[in-house]
Amino acid sequence: MEKISLKIAILLCVISLNLNAQVFIPKNKEQILQKIEQNYDSQVDLLEGKYRSKIKKEYKKRRELIRETFLDSTFVFDNTYKNFVSSIIKEVKAKNPSLDQREDLVFINRHLDPNAACFGNHTFMFNLGLFHFLESEDEFAFIVCHELAHQYLDHVNGSVRKRVEKLNSKEYRRKIRDARLTIYGRNKAGMKLLKELSYGFLKKSRSKEYEADSLGLVFFKKTKYNAAAASKSLGRLKRFDDGIFNTKIKVDSILNFDGFKFRKYWLEEEETMFDIEEKADDLQWWDKDSIKTHPDIENRVKKLESKITQKEVKPTVSFEEIKAYATKDQINSLIYFNQLDLVFYLLLEKIQKGGSSDFIITKLAETLQKIYTTKVDHIFGKRIPQSSPFAKEKNLNKIRTLLHNLEIRDVRKIGYHFCKKYSNTITSEEFAKINNFFTKLNQ
């Protein structure tokens, strides 16, 4: 733990010299691409049976998906995360010799949602959002054990095989033929078939999540980590089952200044000529729970709690450091990729919760500057989605409404008064440049 903490401290010092210097395509790019190919080849070599060629095509699609995601700069390559996750995997495998001891391919996705994935070919992905929402290394370690259990149980490849077998079975092909021959209600017949297929596979998928929880806990209990963290990790993620932007931002308070008052009409949504309620019910026939690939987390938490003794899970200094590091990484990534609505929300949330560090204030000033320049260049609408009446993320929707309603002159004044408010407390060179930018615009 002390070694990890020291590595993180050194990296924080180095990267603090240039917070925007992120690595999305690493120097060992060719080695990673070769490893992706090797994983694909090793899986194909194990295939046999009448559907071998069809399953091979599915594996190929998976390989291409991983390659494209890698080359599209979706992953962040940083030894801080690599060392952290690798140390957990090393601990789990050392205490569980039944696990495949080969080196896994692990990616860190820069996405905000707290999620992880096993691709079924010794390739795993963990989102940066996990560092934001989890509270300890122990909790993160259980997520790792859960994904390793998916790999051990061959869940992903098993699902591929069963889906191919189902789609090519005589029974299913007959149903497709009958649906095509239906003169009246053809669309209804097709939707019924799709629903039947999806329910069947997703029901199996939900059962596999319970299996991965159960076996993951077996792996987890053999390690140095606190077993109580297993249910706590899922319990924390339960809060984000219906969305990750769950804080109501008091934007009318944060962006209200003595010299420039907040306008209520900035938050008014544009009226629509369509019947929103009727349109929102278009998919009412599809039971909400039936299309969730994960079962209700509440039920999974209860099952885990029945198998462990509850103890206090204390956050470690090293995990607090990597959480702070990941937060900066997330914010810089969002700004770099011009996802201004997301970063604007996150920074306002930080300020609302009492955050006032140089980093937070400077990055919000930088975001306001980018919002201004994109509006001046007439590219804001291309980068930032409009608010939608169908959006699940209602709080983010509110921020999008605000950003689209702001005129160029409004952003110019908000940027100026925001910088003015913090000009005596934030002394960084980066903030000074942005402050000067808005000062000149308002002269």
Side-chain angles (χ1 to χ4, degrees):
M1 297 288 284
E2 292 179 358
K3 291 182 179 179
I4 295 175
S5 179
L6 178 60
K7 290 177 181 177
I8 293 173
I10 293 172
L11 280 162
L12 285 171
C13 291
V14 172
I15 294 185
S16 64
L17 298 175
N18 184 3
L19 289 171
N20 290 314
Q22 298 182 330
V23 178
F24 298 105
I25 299 295
K27 292 181 179 179
N28 63 335
K29 167 187 168 184
E30 295 305 321
Q31 286 180 289
I32 293 176
L33 289 173
Q34 184 178 4
K35 178 66 174 175
I36 293 173
E37 291 296 323
Q38 289 173 348
N39 285 351
Y40 166 74
D41 291 338
S42 65
Q43 295 293 305
V44 170
D45 289 342
L46 297 174
L47 291 176
E48 56 186 19
K50 62 185 294 188
Y51 297 121
R52 183 181 186 279
S53 62
K54 295 183 182 296
I55 296 174
K56 181 179 178 181
K57 287 181 180 179
E58 295 300 316
Y59 285 3
K60 187 175 182 180
K61 290 178 184 177
R62 177 175 62 188
R63 179 195 66 185
E64 291 307 307
L65 172 64
I66 297 172
R67 278 177 55 91
E68 289 173 12
T69 307
F70 166 58
L71 294 173
D72 283 347
S73 301
T74 300
F75 301 134
V76 175
F77 293 90
D78 189 314
N79 284 335
T80 305
Y81 307 120
K82 179 183 177 182
N83 294 343
F84 175 77
V85 178
S86 295
S87 68
I88 293 175
I89 293 176
K90 183 178 180 181
E91 164 71 12
V92 175
K93 288 192 172 184
K95 301 296 173 56
N96 294 276
S98 62
L99 285 168
D100 193 318
Q101 298 297 311
R102 81 181 74 178
E103 183 180 1
D104 298 302
L105 193 53
V106 176
F107 293 113
I108 302 297
N109 195 315
R110 58 185 174 84
H111 285 181
L112 292 170
D113 58 309
N115 212 342
C118 167
F119 289 97
N121 56 350
H122 296 282
T123 303
F124 300 91
M125 180 183 73
F126 300 93
N127 286 4
L128 272 181
L130 286 168
F131 292 102
H132 182 68
F133 293 120
L134 297 179
E135 295 295 334
S136 69
E137 182 177 340
D138 302 66
E139 292 174 9
F140 197 102
F142 176 71
I143 302 299
V144 172
C145 287
H146 175 93
E147 299 306 325
L148 287 172
H150 274 308
Q151 177 65 54
Y152 182 88
L153 295 167
D154 200 30
H155 278 162
V156 180
N157 291 339
S159 293
V160 171
R161 289 192 297 270
K162 288 179 181 178
R163 186 168 67 251
V164 169
E165 290 170 2
K166 178 78 173 179
L167 289 171
N168 290 276
S169 67
K170 290 182 179 180
E171 178 189 6
Y172 190 74
R173 288 161 76 176
R174 177 182 57 77
K175 288 181 178 181
I176 293 177
R177 185 182 65 251
D178 291 346
R180 287 175 177 170
L181 292 175
T182 301
I183 298 176
Y184 299 105
R186 180 181 298 177
N187 184 57
K188 185 177 181 180
M191 293 298 279
K192 181 181 178 181
L193 187 59
L194 174 63
K195 182 178 179 181
E196 176 187 318
L197 180 66
S198 298
Y199 273 29
F201 282 120
L202 291 170
K203 185 177 180 180
K204 291 184 178 68
S205 179
R206 290 198 297 272
S207 68
K208 286 171 182 172
E209 290 304 320
Y210 285 115
E211 291 175 7
D213 284 344
S214 182
L215 182 59
L217 183 62
V218 173
F219 295 154
F220 192 58
K221 282 183 172 181
K222 295 178 182 178
T223 67
K224 64 181 180 181
Y225 301 110
N226 185 344
S231 59
K232 291 186 183 299
S233 64
L234 291 187
R236 295 195 197 285
L237 299 184
K238 180 183 179 300
R239 292 180 295 157
F240 312 101
D241 202 23
D242 292 321
I244 61 175
F245 300 94
N246 53 13
T247 300
K248 291 184 178 180
I249 305 297
K250 299 177 182 178
V251 65
D252 54 342
S253 174
I254 299 174
L255 299 182
N256 189 50
F257 310 100
D258 292 337
F260 190 64
K261 299 298 181 181
F262 189 89
R263 274 59 164 166
K264 289 184 178 180
Y265 66 82
W266 288 340
L267 295 177
E268 292 179 0
E269 294 184 10
E270 186 177 345
E271 292 186 7
T272 176
M273 62 185 291
F274 299 106
D275 188 337
I276 302 303
E277 293 302 320
E278 183 178 348
K279 224 171 163 51
D281 290 336
D282 278 353
L283 297 179
Q284 192 172 18
W285 61 272
W286 199 298
D287 177 40
K288 180 182 177 183
D289 186 60
S290 68
I291 61 174
K292 294 170 74 175
T293 56
H294 286 55
D296 286 336
I297 291 183
E298 186 175 354
N299 293 332
R300 293 168 62 192
V301 170
K302 289 179 181 178
K303 282 184 175 290
L304 287 176
E305 286 178 340
S306 67
K307 299 178 181 179
I308 55 181
T309 302
Q310 294 300 315
K311 297 179 183 178
E312 182 183 1
V313 181
K314 296 181 179 180
T316 58
V317 174
S318 62
F319 194 76
E320 289 300 312
E321 288 174 343
I322 201 169
K323 274 174 66 73
Y325 184 78
T327 296
K328 290 184 177 182
D329 226 355
Q330 280 183 328
I331 290 171
N332 281 321
S333 293
L334 292 171
I335 293 176
Y336 180 83
F337 287 99
N338 292 301
Q339 294 176 290
L340 303 179
D341 52 337
L342 305 185
V343 72
F344 196 60
Y345 174 95
L346 289 180
L347 289 167
L348 289 175
E349 182 184 40
K350 296 288 184 187
I351 291 176
Q352 184 167 299
K353 292 182 177 180
S356 59
S357 66
D358 285 17
F359 177 81
I360 291 173
I361 301 305
T362 299
K363 290 302 169 182
L364 185 53
E366 182 182 348
T367 302
L368 286 167
Q369 184 181 32
K370 273 210 164 189
I371 291 171
Y372 175 82
T373 55
T374 53
K375 282 182 175 285
V376 169
D377 295 337
H378 304 290
I379 56 176
F380 182 82
K382 296 179 181 179
R383 291 181 174 175
I384 309 303
Q386 291 277 356
S387 59
S388 168
F390 311 112
K392 180 175 71 173
E393 300 284 5
K394 301 299 182 184
N395 296 315
L396 177 61
N397 215 31
K398 184 178 179 181
I399 294 300
R400 286 173 173 166
T401 297
L402 167 69
L403 293 178
H404 279 279
N405 284 344
L406 289 175
E407 301 287 345
I408 292 175
R409 63 176 180 275
D410 298 326
V411 183
R412 184 175 69 231
K413 289 185 176 296
I414 290 173
Y416 169 73
H417 287 280
F418 179 81
C419 290
K420 182 181 178 181
K421 180 178 180 179
Y422 293 97
S423 59
N424 293 327
T425 55
I426 308 299
T427 58
S428 69
E429 184 179 345
E430 186 181 1
F431 180 82
K433 288 180 180 179
I434 301 171
N435 185 21
N436 185 53
F437 171 83
F438 280 115
T439 299
K440 287 182 177 180
L441 284 177
N442 285 271
Q443 286 178 345

